[in-house]
């Protein structure tokens, strides 16, 4: 379902993704784990046509991404790590616009929107502007929106970031549900090893842009002679903390935009 | 088709909700109209050119359309920073449609804004010479708005931050405004200035508005329409190209 060969992405002279290859089978739940800055989001951006690789090939459902971006976009859904909602619209309007862009028929759209907003406990706030939501509520809306259409592949980039335990449970059981009933292939990243262990059938561990290990949880544990996924992860990637590079541009822009809206 | 409509609707909804901003953005054109209109009025009259308010009102309308369409085109920059742009870029619709929807939304907003400014002009004493040509004037407003909304989207596609926007404002948008003949007649200008004014698409836009609203024209409405049409096509093509190349 996903086929990646010798993928490289460089930002000026820094290699964020360094010659990785892997494949994900149809119907599989695949977890992509790695420390901060390992290159997970960059890989997902290339898989979802947002970023062009420096070299290497990517295929989704047998289609080369560089040559058929529009066809590829019809096959996946994504929940981004970073915010991607329109803050000036209501929750319902955000769902609506997503449904229209993804060609979900009006009736199905209304039905599913209600079901999903109820599932993620946003139904009572459906007519509130997203800018009035708490961080976790925004996150839940992003997730609900991601499930509005049924793609062949679902990319989840740290979907549980900032979610309470209830919502996390809800999310993973829903992920398992669509995987089992509709055969949706899932490609996910998370920093919670227990989540990966629970839902993922196969795991790849990436560090400094390189894949350092791949396999089932059992295989990874055996390979590192540890007794938990967390232990295996630490054994493979070391115990030093990675600095997350800050983005000074974004803050300034936010301030400016606030001024602008007055 | 529905993607174009969805993107258009989003732009228009956001605009209609920002009431304070709508009123605030009327302030600048109103100042130009009143202060320049009444300040330069006597000199203009003495030079035998008639009423300056009559002359400058179409220019001020054109100015508000220019600013409004460029600003909302550049709204792309905010969508990039706040993340919503990603959501539209991964959607299973050709990026051309997303771009067209956004641009038409921006153009619609600019037209509403232009109409509001025209109303302010009438409150200040401006009178179109014939109401019959009014609908044609509105069509020209839409054409001007499309030209600059497409330019705004093209610019917004390549800019990454606000510094870039300041540069565009100072070195592109302001010159387009000042060179357009919005504030002065295009006749008897020194040669270099005359050349620059002829290269400015807004010159043709404002000339077109004058041809319909006050029956005065420098280039002739047919040439105006041709140049504006060609610019609209060129900028839409450029905008589409740049927009579909956006990486995040
Ligand atoms: N546009 C960019 N320009 C320059 N460097 C970038 C850019 N985007 C990402 N990087 C760098 O590439 C590396 C990988 O980033 P990426 O976002 O893929 O990490 P990640 O594995 O998703 O980490 P996290 O767990 O923190 O989300 C980081 O060092 C980051 O600084
Ligand atoms: Mg990431």
């Amino acid at each position: 379902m996903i086929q990646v060969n010798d993928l490289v992405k460089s930002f000026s002279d820094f290699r964020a993704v360094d010659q990785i290859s892997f494949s994900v089978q149809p119907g599989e739940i695949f977890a992509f784990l790695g420390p901060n800055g390992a290159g997970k989001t960059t890989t997902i951006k290339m898989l979802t046509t947002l970023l062009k690789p420096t070299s290497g090939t990517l295929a989704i459902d047998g289609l080369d991404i560089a040559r058929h971006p529009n066809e590829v976009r019809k096959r996946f859904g994504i929940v981004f790590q970073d915010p991607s909602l329109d803050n000036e619209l209501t929750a319902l309007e955000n769902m609506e616009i997503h449904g229209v862009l993804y060609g979900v028929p009006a009736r199905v759209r209304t039905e599913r929107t209600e079901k999903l907003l109820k599932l993620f406990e946003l139904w009572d706030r459906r007519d509130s502007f997203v800018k009035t939501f708490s961080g976790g509520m925004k996150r839940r809306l992003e997730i609900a929106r991601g499930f509005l259409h049924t793609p062949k592949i679902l990319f989840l980039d740290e979907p549980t970031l900032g979610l309470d335990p209830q919502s996390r449970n809800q999310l993973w059981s829903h992920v398992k549900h669509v995987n089992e009933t509709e055969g949706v292939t899932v490609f996910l990243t998370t920093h919670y090893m227990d989540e990966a262990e629970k839902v993922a059938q196969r795991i790849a561990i990436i560090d400094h842009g390189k894949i350092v290990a791949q396999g089932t949880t059992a295989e990874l544990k055996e390979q590192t002679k540890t007794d938990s996924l967390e232990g295996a992860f630490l054994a493979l990637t070391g115990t030093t903390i990675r600095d997350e590079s800050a983005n000074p541009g974004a803050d300034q822009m936010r301030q400016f935009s606030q001024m602008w809206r007055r | 088709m529905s993607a174009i409509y969805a993107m258009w609707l989003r732009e228009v909804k956001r605009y209609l909700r920002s009431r304070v901003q709508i009123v605030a953005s009327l302030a600048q054109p109103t100042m130009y109209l009143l202060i320049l209109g009444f300040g330069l009025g006597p000199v203009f009259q003495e030079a035998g050119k008639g009423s300056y308010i009559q002359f400058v009102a179409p220019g001020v309308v054109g100015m508000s359309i220019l600013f409004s369409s460029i600003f909302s085109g550049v709204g792309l920059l905010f969508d990039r920073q706040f993340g919503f742009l990603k959501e539209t870029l991964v959607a299973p619709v050709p990026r051309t449609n997303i771009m067209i929807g956004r641009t038409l939304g921006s153009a619609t907003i600019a037209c509403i804004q232009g109409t509001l400014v025209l109303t302010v002009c009438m409150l200040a004493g401006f009178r179109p010479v014939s109401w019959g040509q009014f609908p044609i004037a509105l069509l020209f407003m839409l054409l001007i708005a499309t030209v600059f909304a497409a330019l705004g989207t093209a610019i917004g596609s390549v800019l990454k931050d606000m510094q870039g926007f300041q540069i565009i404002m100072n070195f592109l948008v302001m010159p387009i405004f000042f060179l357009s003949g919005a504030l002065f007649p295009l006749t008897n200008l020194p040669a270099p200035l005359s050349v620059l004014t002829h290269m400015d698409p807004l010159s043709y836009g404002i000339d077109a508005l004058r041809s319909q609203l006050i029956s005065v024209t420098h280039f002739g409405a047919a040439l105006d329409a041709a140049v504006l049409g060609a610019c609209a096509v060129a900028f839409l093509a450029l905008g589409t190209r740049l927009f579909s190349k956006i990486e995040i």
Side-chain angles (χ1 to χ4, degrees):
Chain A
M1 187 53 72
I2 302 177
Q3 184 69 49
V4 173
N5 287 318
D6 298 326
L7 184 66
V8 176
K9 179 70 198 181
S10 306
F11 296 106
S12 48
D13 57 355
F14 170 72
R15 281 193 163 200
V17 173
D18 195 359
Q19 286 253 322
I20 64 171
S21 301
F22 63 88
S23 63
V24 178
Q25 301 312 310
E28 193 171 38
I29 300 185
F30 186 86
F32 207 44
L33 307 180
N36 290 140
K40 304 180 294 293
T41 300
T42 306
T43 305
I44 291 185
K45 280 182 179 173
M46 288 186 280
L47 282 167
T48 54
T49 73
L50 285 174
L51 207 57
K52 289 206 170 58
T54 306
S55 67
T57 58
L58 298 142
I60 280 190
D61 201 13
L63 290 161
D64 186 275
I65 294 184
R67 274 188 296 154
H68 308 283
N70 283 333
E71 280 304 307
V72 166
R73 281 182 209 128
K74 287 186 188 146
R75 285 164 171 74
F76 69 77
I78 177 167
V79 173
F80 295 101
Q81 179 179 352
D82 304 324
S84 67
L85 298 165
D86 188 334
N87 287 309
E88 305 290 326
L89 296 181
T90 65
L92 215 49
E93 286 168 340
N94 267 285
M95 295 293 277
E96 179 78 15
I97 200 167
H98 180 92
V100 173
L101 290 178
Y102 282 80
V104 182
R107 268 232 343 268
V108 183
R109 202 157 71 215
T110 325
E111 259 168 42
R112 282 217 200 148
T113 298
E114 180 169 349
K115 203 184 109 205
L116 286 165
L117 288 186
K118 282 184 173 157
L119 183 64
F120 290 101
E121 291 178 26
L122 290 166
W123 184 245
D124 296 338
R125 297 292 302 272
R126 62 188 179 277
D127 290 320
S128 307
F129 287 109
V130 172
K131 61 186 168 192
T132 67
F133 280 11
S134 75
M137 288 164 71
K138 286 185 190 167
R139 201 68 203 138
R140 272 163 20 213
L141 180 57
E142 300 241 12
I143 291 166
R145 189 181 65 177
F147 286 113
L148 188 55
H149 70 294
T150 311
K152 282 194 170 175
I153 305 173
L154 186 58
F155 291 98
L156 301 169
D157 196 355
E158 292 190 38
T160 49
L161 190 75
L163 285 189
D164 55 29
Q166 293 88 328
S167 314
R168 263 190 245 170
N169 252 327
Q170 202 65 267
L171 165 70
W172 292 124
S173 50
H174 200 67
V175 167
K176 279 199 153 161
H177 176 75
V178 296
N179 173 259
E180 279 158 19
T181 58
E182 325 229 15
V184 175
T185 308
V186 181
F187 184 102
L188 64 94
T189 78
T190 176
H191 288 297
Y192 302 102
M193 295 302 136
D194 54 319
E195 293 181 344
E197 196 159 3
K198 240 186 306 179
V199 295
Q201 287 140 16
R202 234 152 41 83
I203 292 169
I205 294 182
I206 179 171
D207 195 12
H208 299 295
K210 288 190 162 75
I211 291 186
V212 292
Q214 284 194 67
T216 61
T217 308
E219 286 166 359
L220 292 177
K221 283 193 250 185
E222 195 184 290
Q223 197 184 323
T224 52
K225 303 194 170 50
T226 48
D227 54 6
S228 67
L229 183 59
E230 179 130 11
F233 182 84
L234 291 174
L236 286 161
T237 59
T239 49
T240 52
I241 293 174
R242 314 305 158 88
D243 54 318
E244 260 184 293
S245 58
N247 182 353
D251 261 10
Q252 199 187 343
M253 175 76 86
R254 230 153 266 147
Q255 273 172 8
F256 189 91
S257 159
Q258 265 161 16
M259 247 163 58
W260 193 265
R261 304 219 159 269
R262 288 286 122 81
Chain B
M1 234 12 237
S2 49
I4 297 182
Y5 173 68
M7 292 312 293
W8 175 85
L9 188 63
R10 165 193 185 243
E11 297 291 318
V12 174
K13 261 189 193 163
R14 286 173 56 120
Y15 168 75
L16 293 177
R17 278 173 190 167
S18 53
R19 300 270 156 76
V20 182
Q21 208 189 335
I22 296 176
V23 175
S25 59
L26 290 178
Q28 195 190 17
T30 307
M31 258 176 343
Y32 271 87
L33 181 76
L34 295 181
I35 300 175
L36 288 183
F38 291 108
L40 293 177
V43 189
F44 204 70
Q45 197 102 40
E46 245 164 66
K49 300 265 186 199
S51 156
Y52 189 60
I53 287 269
Q54 285 294 102
F55 176 82
V56 86
V60 170
V61 171
M63 169 184 100
S64 69
I65 295 177
L66 167 73
F67 287 164
S68 169
S69 46
I70 295 259
F71 283 163
S72 47
V74 171
L76 192 55
L77 207 61
F78 295 117
D79 284 342
R80 180 196 284 263
Q81 212 67 37
F82 289 100
F84 183 71
L85 183 62
K86 291 195 288 282
E87 154 78 1
T88 59
L89 290 182
V90 295
V93 282
R95 288 191 180 172
T96 310
N97 294 11
I98 304 281
M99 185 272 174
I100 302 266
R102 293 189 71 107
T103 305
L104 292 182
S106 301
T108 307
I109 293 168
C111 258
I112 300 176
Q113 200 72 26
T115 313
L116 290 177
V117 170
L118 188 57
T119 314
V120 171
C121 291
M122 295 207 230
L123 291 176
F126 172 75
R127 290 290 168 266
V129 289
S130 126
W131 287 101
Q133 279 155 307
F134 207 70
I136 305 176
L138 288 180
L139 282 182
F140 272 119
M141 283 166 61
L142 191 60
L143 193 52
I144 301 170
T146 309
V147 169
F148 292 107
L151 182 62
T153 313
I155 293 170
S157 303
V158 287
L159 288 186
K160 298 237 159 63
D161 53 34
M162 279 329 287
Q163 278 93 338
F165 179 64
Q166 307 285 4
I167 294 174
I168 293 289
M169 248 343 256
N170 290 332
F171 292 96
L172 187 73
V173 182
M174 291 316 279
I176 287 179
F177 165 54
F178 281 117
L179 290 170
S180 68
L183 304 176
F184 51 82
L186 295 177
T187 41
N188 300 328
L189 297 178
L193 191 56
S194 176
V195 169
L196 289 175
T197 56
H198 280 71
M199 285 170 19
D200 182 349
L202 187 61
S203 300
Y204 300 86
I206 287 174
D207 191 57
L209 291 183
R210 286 205 177 109
S211 74
Q212 303 307 311
L213 293 173
I214 59 170
S215 287
V216 171
T217 167
H218 182 76
F219 302 111
L223 178 63
D224 292 333
V227 172
L228 289 172
C231 284
V233 171
F235 290 159
L236 279 171
L238 177 72
T240 305
R241 207 179 142 70
L242 296 176
F243 187 80
S244 56
K245 283 196 171 164
I246 295 181
E247 291 192 69
I248 287 188

